[in-house]
Amino acid sequence: MPLEAGHTDTLGAQLRDGGVNFCLAAPNAQAVDLCLFDGSATQEVQRLAMHGPVDGIWHGFLPGAQAGLVYGWRVHGPWEPAQGQRFNPAKLLLDPCAREVLGHYDGDDLHLGHVPGEPLRADLRDNAVTALKARVVQDLPPVSGRVRVDAARRVLYEVHLKGYTAQHLEIPAGLRGTYAGMAHPAAIAHLKGLGVTTVCLMPVAQRADEVRLLRMGLSNYWGYSPIAWNAPEQRYWSGAPGTSPRSEFRALVDALHAVGLEVILDVVYNHTGETDEIGPTLSLRGIDNATYYHLDHTTPALYANWTGCGNCVNLSHPLVLRTVMDSLRGWVVEFGVDGFRFDLAPVLARAGTDRQHRFEANAPFLMAVAQDPVLRDRLMVAEPWDIGPGGYQLGAFPAGWLEWNDRFRDTQRSAWLQHHATRADLANRLAGSADVFSPTQRGAHSSVNLVTAHDGFTLMDLVSYAQRHNEANGENNRDGHGHNLSVNNGVEGPTGDGEVLARRLRQRRVLLASLLWSLGTPMLLAGDELGHSQGGNNNAYCQDNATTWLHWGQADAELTAFVARAIALRHELPVLQSRAWWRGANDVGPGPGPVAQWWGPLGQTLVHADWHHPQDNALALQLNAASVDPLACTACLLLCNPTAQTQEFVPPPAPAGAAWQLRLETDTGSSPDQPLPARLWLPAQSLMLASAASLFAAL
């Protein structure tokens, strides 16, 4: 029975009108076949010619088809790699809009579009038996609501859901490493106990691991090799009866929402797991290579590679942009996701008409997000760099976007570990990086402040290793960052030396406190509060093992409690969670932001030379609320000693009618809640937080 003509309003496969409507965007194709498979997903049982194209979209309607139908595409057209065309109907292709994926890519060269070792010759072997395939699914029930977190109160927690739960002894063994494991009460209790507001899940879209990794028995554990943007990764599904990867991921989002946690999803629309010109033909490459990818303008057989992963997706093309926008809306509408963190985000906004495709702040993708009724009020977070020309774009994204701030990271490491940052450097980052994010256009929360993230050393390793140790990745320790601003405190790696261990703990506490009390949006890396180490591996993207899995049995409970206390103080003290930029004491007129006053350690006024001395950088910061309530804590004081020596401090006077109360200090991790002395000695590499306790509060 031939396909009937279908609708072109929804890409992919959609149940409607007593059957299934199919659409595929492939404007350069000459013909498209819909291939149907049996229940085992290995035997092709029917091949149907699609109608079209209409405006570049092939379409067809299959009456009587139901959810559970397994399908793939064969796309016909010229095989001309030198012209950027790589059509090969011998290869079954995965729908780029698949919402559930069957099968597992194992790296077999059967899935190459070209003859192995001969990149210009088409491989005519049929790969249908083991190719990835899509399954038609029912829409999930409507999302009942969403969590809205005040931007000023937001605290991000970046987490790999498998690594978080794989060794959690309070989670049933069968659920560890799964969506259901992350939704378990024991997993959620830790998040709530810390006081974070927002869970940023590392990629969960279906991926295709690189051949190089597969041959070494490794995988792209982080998930930055997507092959189906809309389909939750089946490897994280528990397999529980009556569930699917889709329903289990939705249940995870619902569980986090139920306790008031916001859910942000790390998404990878800049490249795919098809890698470079010698990579496999699994989906987009065979569907319409020249449409979906940026090709090298001088040699179209090659790809632009601003990602370092072999290819770049071309969001300048309307149909590709539509595919990505539909995908984003799907994660929101079907799964309830509250926002997204975009990997290598400048790639998505490279829309220049010149051959470099320069980043543009009004690129089609950014404009589409800004006006989309589903997406425009969701949280959008950019990783604001790629490796292409002009790829460093920190501060260049539109108003409303948050951006990972590597300058904050490097300044904090330099100040507290290397003793190289000046007072000006440190103050800039404490004050939200106003030099980067224009206060007239961007909110005070625009900077995602981080000291560590998945990419790089963990916090424990940052103070335990002077060099990376990535040998297990199989690249002779050449991969990963070489400039880490890390220290080992005299011993490379693990040690039983109590003095070294104590120093490392003090350094971790001060970095965490400085992160959590700075203006902006703080982000914690999961496991840093536990003392997690990756053995010095600062690029553990392929280590799906005990290297990356959190060691709950060895967790540092005291450090965890310190982090929870530091977050609680951020939430308690209004001036530490300002909705507006800090103002100078001499700024004319009232304003909504706290007034920031900076002092030298002895209370002296700082002159120009004081701000730019790299070794003499001890600093006092007083924040006063814009409006004074005599019965409330309206001010706080941060005493910072990044130097290598104990430093004397004379705190400035507290506001009228109040006295400074010491709330938390990083040297011992104690929170004494006692009056701050009029003079004190602050140990090296440490920080104190005091708040203004009203003298009238007890009256």
Side-chain angles (χ1 to χ4, degrees):
M1 177 179 177
L3 282 173
E4 298 178 5
H7 299 278
T8 60
D9 54 354
T10 304
L11 297 174
Q14 188 75 33
L15 289 166
R16 62 190 300 171
D17 306 323
V20 177
N21 193 78
F22 294 91
C23 284
L24 182 68
N28 292 314
Q30 296 172 347
V32 174
D33 294 331
L34 171 67
C35 302
L36 307 180
F37 286 79
D38 65 3
S40 71
T42 59
Q43 184 65 42
E44 185 177 343
V45 296
Q46 196 170 10
R47 191 175 300 188
L48 303 169
M50 294 281 282
H51 295 262
V54 174
D55 298 328
I57 298 175
W58 299 80
H59 58 93
F61 178 74
L62 186 60
Q66 299 177 352
L69 182 67
V70 180
Y71 72 98
W73 303 111
R74 295 185 189 273
V75 182
H76 302 260
W79 172 264
E80 296 177 353
Q83 305 304 315
Q85 305 286 5
R86 294 178 177 271
F87 296 103
N88 185 348
K91 304 303 175 181
L92 188 84
L93 305 171
L94 179 65
D95 191 340
C97 300
R99 294 196 284 169
E100 186 171 323
V101 175
L102 300 178
H104 179 72
Y105 172 63
D106 61 2
D108 194 314
D109 65 15
L110 180 64
H111 302 296
L112 296 175
H114 60 274
V115 173
E118 300 182 53
L120 299 182
R121 285 183 55 203
D123 187 320
L124 302 182
R125 296 175 295 169
D126 194 306
N127 71 334
V129 173
T130 57
L132 297 173
K133 303 170 185 72
R135 179 152 55 195
V136 178
V137 298
Q138 293 273 8
D139 290 344
L140 294 172
V143 174
S144 58
R146 62 178 290 192
V147 172
R148 295 180 183 269
V149 173
D150 187 324
R153 291 182 60 83
R154 184 175 283 123
V155 178
L156 300 176
Y157 187 82
E158 189 193 27
V159 60
H160 190 292
L161 71 88
K162 180 174 183 181
Y164 184 80
T165 62
Q167 297 189 116
H168 200 304
L169 298 180
E170 296 180 43
I171 297 174
L175 300 183
R176 295 174 195 163
T178 70
Y179 303 119
M182 188 75 197
H184 190 274
I188 293 176
H190 179 74
L191 302 172
K192 292 296 291 182
L194 273 182
V196 299
T197 67
T198 305
V199 177
C200 184
L201 294 171
M202 289 181 65
V204 300
Q206 186 78 28
R207 71 179 196 259
D209 299 319
E210 296 91 327
V211 172
R212 181 187 67 83
L213 295 177
L214 292 171
R215 288 175 178 169
M216 292 191 295
L218 301 173
S219 67
N220 194 309
Y221 166 73
W222 282 352
Y224 293 99
S225 56
I227 200 59
W229 288 316
N230 304 349
E233 171 60 64
Q234 57 184 313
R235 281 175 271 201
Y236 301 146
W237 174 41
S238 71
T243 69
S244 68
R246 285 165 44 79
S247 68
E248 197 166 284
F249 178 72
R250 166 65 181 275
L252 165 58
V253 176
D254 288 345
L256 293 171
H257 280 173
V259 296
L261 290 170
E262 192 176 43
V263 181
I264 307 303
L265 190 60
D266 195 336
V267 287
V268 187
Y269 295 106
N270 58 75
H271 72 279
T272 76
E274 289 184 308
T275 68
D276 59 16
E277 63 278 358
I278 61 172
T281 295
L282 304 176
S283 183
L284 301 181
R285 176 173 284 139
I287 292 170
D288 197 333
N289 187 62
T291 292
Y292 285 98
Y293 291 120
H294 285 288
L295 305 182
D296 185 288
H297 66 273
T298 60
T299 311
L302 307 179
Y303 294 86
N305 187 17
W306 309 312
T307 64
C309 300
N311 62 58
C312 297
V313 177
N314 179 18
L315 272 74
S316 295
H317 193 287
L319 289 176
V320 182
L321 177 61
R322 175 178 167 182
T323 301
V324 170
M325 294 298 292
D326 286 354
S327 174
L328 288 169
R329 282 190 292 268
W331 288 106
V332 171
V333 173
E334 280 214 277
F335 299 106
V337 166
D338 302 298
F340 303 93
R341 180 266 186 188
F342 293 90
D343 179 60
L344 301 179
V347 173
L348 311 179
R350 285 187 174 272
T353 56
D354 65 2
R355 290 183 172 183
Q356 291 186 346
H357 293 278
R358 292 168 295 179
F359 172 89
E360 293 185 358
N362 61 349
F365 170 70
L366 297 176
M367 298 290 281
V369 168
Q371 61 77 45
D372 189 278
V374 173
L375 301 174
R376 63 191 177 203
D377 68 340
R378 302 284 162 160
L379 181 61
M380 299 289 165
V381 182
E383 181 184 34
W385 48 76
D386 64 30
I387 64 170
Y392 187 76
Q393 292 295 329
L394 179 66
F397 281 76
W401 280 68
L402 276 62
E403 301 177 40
W404 277 27
N405 188 347
D406 63 325
R407 295 186 191 176
F408 181 94
R409 177 198 66 199
D410 292 350
T411 297
Q412 296 298 326
R413 294 182 180 189
S414 179
W416 298 105
L417 302 181
Q418 303 284 340
H419 313 297
H420 289 159
T422 66
R423 286 191 179 97
D425 295 333
L426 186 57
N428 249 332
R429 304 309 155 220
L430 292 173
S433 297
D435 60 327
V436 175
F437 301 98
S438 173
T440 61
Q441 301 177 29
R442 305 287 293 274
H445 60 281
S446 299
S447 173
V448 174
N449 297 333
L450 66 151
V451 174
T452 58
H454 70 272
D455 187 3
F457 279 135
T458 67
L459 186 59
M460 173 65 90
D461 290 351
L462 184 66
V463 299
S464 303
Y465 292 91
Q467 305 294 330
R468 65 191 177 210
H469 295 269
N470 299 352
E471 291 81 3
N473 298 349
E475 299 182 50
N476 296 316
N477 205 33
R478 293 191 303 267
D479 61 308
H481 295 299
H483 181 65
N484 297 287
L485 297 171
S486 62
V487 294
N488 65 14
N489 287 287
V491 180
E492 187 77 352
T495 181
D497 188 316
E499 183 177 338
V500 171
L501 293 174
R503 191 181 310 125
R504 291 174 177 177
L505 179 56
R506 291 195 298 269
Q507 291 168 342
R508 285 182 284 149
R509 283 196 296 254
V510 76
L511 286 166
L512 288 165
S514 185
L515 165 69
L516 291 167
W517 298 335
S518 294
L519 183 62
T521 303
M523 186 182 80
L524 293 169
L525 172 64
D528 279 353
E529 77 282 10
L530 307 176
H532 177 66
S533 170
Q534 293 179 166
N537 191 324
N538 76 347
N539 188 35
Y541 74 103
C542 56
Q543 300 299 322
D544 185 2
N545 49 51
T547 299
T548 52
W549 300 345
L550 302 190
H551 305 294
W552 292 93
Q554 303 168 25
D556 186 334
E558 290 186 3
L559 181 61
T560 303
F562 174 86
V563 174
R565 175 65 172 153
I567 293 174
L569 286 167
R570 176 186 176 90
H571 289 159
E572 175 191 331
L573 302 173
V575 291
L576 290 182
Q577 49 177 351
S578 173
R579 293 171 179 79
W581 291 92
W582 296 348
R583 298 183 300 127
N586 297 322
D587 288 354
V588 178
V595 174
Q597 294 176 277
W598 307 89
W599 313 92
L602 299 180
Q604 71 270 36
T605 299
L606 297 170
V607 299
H608 182 270
D610 296 327
W611 284 106
H612 301 285
H613 195 294
Q615 277 73 46
D616 180 15
N617 56 4
L619 188 67
L621 165 63
Q622 181 177 339
L623 291 171
N624 297 319
S627 60
V628 177
D629 178 356
L631 298 181
C633 293
T634 58
C636 73
L637 180 68
L638 285 174
L639 304 181
C640 306
N641 181 17
T643 72
Q645 296 83 33
T646 297
Q647 181 81 43
E648 184 180 12
F649 275 76
V650 177
W660 293 123
Q661 189 81 0
L662 178 58
R663 307 301 301 276
L664 189 61
E665 55 88 9
T666 65
D667 187 59
T668 66
S670 66
S671 51
D673 277 346
Q674 63 188 24
L676 189 69
R679 300 180 76 91
L680 58 96
W681 289 90
L682 191 61
Q685 296 178 294
S686 70
L687 183 157
M688 280 185 177
L689 172 67
S691 64
S694 172
L695 297 176
F696 306 104
L699 298 180

